[in-house]
């Protein structure tokens, strides 16, 4: 039987990363979609930086920031007794940073498409800003949330450079699917590499196919 621990670890990492980014990325995307602040371009550039930086560059700086010698890494060690580097917790932090644009950009586009009219109409009827967001903006942006969640999840499944730099290759702890595939190829175990790589390809294709099918049905229903 093939070792499936990298599969479960990767699914756990992707799921947790998606949940964290839904919490962190939603208010950021809402602010980006509505603000006229002068610092908006800087925040947009910072959010999109993982798209253009080589994963090894981002992974290197995350390794420095999360190390026990840095303030954040030292605080984590003092609070939990464990390090962020070469740990699953560190993989989550790295994945959240690396996958941030895949959550924020689709949500920003969805919120911008809602416009100010429905929110102002809700406010005129006595809705608080939070009520207008939850009961008006979120339902109207459902397609954006689905797209953002799927892109974030599937992108996290295929992470390699960043997670390797931050987490290394520790079986059962930080050896995610992409690293396991690389390890099998390095040791000429092509059968195991084919099994994992093929499974990932089929899963990713299936998820994207469902997303596009759902999007097509939604457009036909609206039309």
């Amino acid at each position: 039987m093939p070792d499936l621990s990298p599969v479960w670890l990767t699914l756990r990492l992707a799921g947790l990363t998606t949940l964290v980014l839904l919490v962190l990325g939603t208010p950021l995307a809402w602010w980006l979609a509505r603000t006229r602040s002068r610092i908006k371009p800087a925040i947009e550039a910072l959010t999109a930086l993982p798209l253009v930086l080589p994963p090894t560059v981002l992974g290197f700086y995350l390794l420095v920031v999360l190390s026990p010698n840095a303030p954040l890494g030292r605080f984590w060690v003092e609070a939990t007794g464990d390090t962020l580097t070469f740990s699953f917790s560190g993989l989550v932090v790295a994945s959240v940073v690396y996958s941030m644009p895949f959550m924020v950009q689709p949500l920003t586009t969805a919120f911008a498409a809602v416009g100010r009219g429905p929110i102002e109409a809700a406010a005129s009827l006595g809705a608080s800003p939070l009520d207008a967001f939850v009961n008006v903006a979120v339902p109207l942006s459902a397609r954006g949330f689905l797209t953002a969640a799927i892109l974030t999840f599937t992108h996290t499944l295929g992470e390699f450079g960043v997670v390797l730099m931050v987490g290394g290759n520790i079986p059962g702890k930080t050896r995610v699917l992409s690293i396991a595939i690389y390890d099998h190829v390095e040791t000429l175990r092509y059968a195991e590499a084919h099994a994992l790589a093929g499974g990932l390809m089929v899963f990713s294709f299936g998820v994207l196919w469902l997303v596009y099918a759902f999007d097509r049905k939604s457009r036909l229903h609206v039309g």
Side-chain angles (χ1 to χ4, degrees):
M1 286 290 294
D3 180 17
L4 296 180
S5 60
V7 177
W8 308 130
L9 187 68
T10 304
L11 291 174
R12 180 183 167 203
L13 176 64
L16 189 54
T17 298
T18 303
L19 289 176
V20 171
L21 278 175
L22 278 171
V23 174
L24 299 180
T26 299
L28 176 58
W30 180 249
W31 180 83
L32 287 173
R34 296 175 61 83
T35 188
R36 295 186 177 93
S37 172
R38 292 182 178 180
I39 67 170
K40 178 182 175 179
I43 301 301
E44 288 178 317
L46 187 63
T47 303
L49 200 57
L51 292 175
V52 296
L53 275 182
T56 49
V57 173
L58 184 60
F60 169 71
Y61 283 111
L62 283 171
L63 186 63
V64 171
V65 171
L66 301 179
S67 73
N69 297 323
L72 177 59
R74 188 181 310 115
F75 169 78
W76 185 264
V77 171
E78 293 173 354
T80 67
D82 195 11
T83 62
L84 278 173
T85 52
F86 306 105
S87 69
F88 181 77
S89 299
L91 291 187
V92 173
V93 174
S95 296
V96 165
V97 173
Y98 190 43
S99 294
M100 179 73 75
F102 293 88
M103 178 64 71
V104 172
Q105 291 187 356
L107 286 182
T108 302
T109 301
F111 289 148
V114 171
R116 297 180 177 272
I119 305 302
E120 292 173 354
S124 69
L125 295 174
S128 68
L130 181 59
D131 287 335
F133 173 76
V134 172
N135 297 308
V136 178
V138 170
L140 291 175
S141 305
R143 187 183 299 167
F145 274 97
L146 177 64
T147 301
I150 293 298
L151 287 177
T152 300
F153 187 88
T154 52
H155 179 256
T156 306
L157 289 180
E159 289 177 356
F160 178 73
V162 170
V163 294
L164 181 62
M165 294 285 286
V166 174
N169 184 12
I170 305 174
K173 190 175 181 181
T174 64
R175 181 184 286 175
V176 294
L177 196 51
S178 58
I179 295 175
I181 293 171
Y182 178 77
D183 188 55
H184 290 330
V185 172
E186 262 201 326
T187 54
L188 303 180
R189 290 180 291 169
Y190 292 141
E192 289 96 329
H194 274 303
L196 295 179
L200 180 58
M201 183 178 296
V202 171
F203 177 81
S204 299
F205 175 80
V207 169
L208 291 175
W209 177 54
L210 289 174
V211 170
Y212 284 121
F214 174 81
D215 184 66
R216 181 173 179 274
K217 288 183 179 179
S218 298
R219 291 180 188 276
L220 290 174
H221 179 73
V222 172

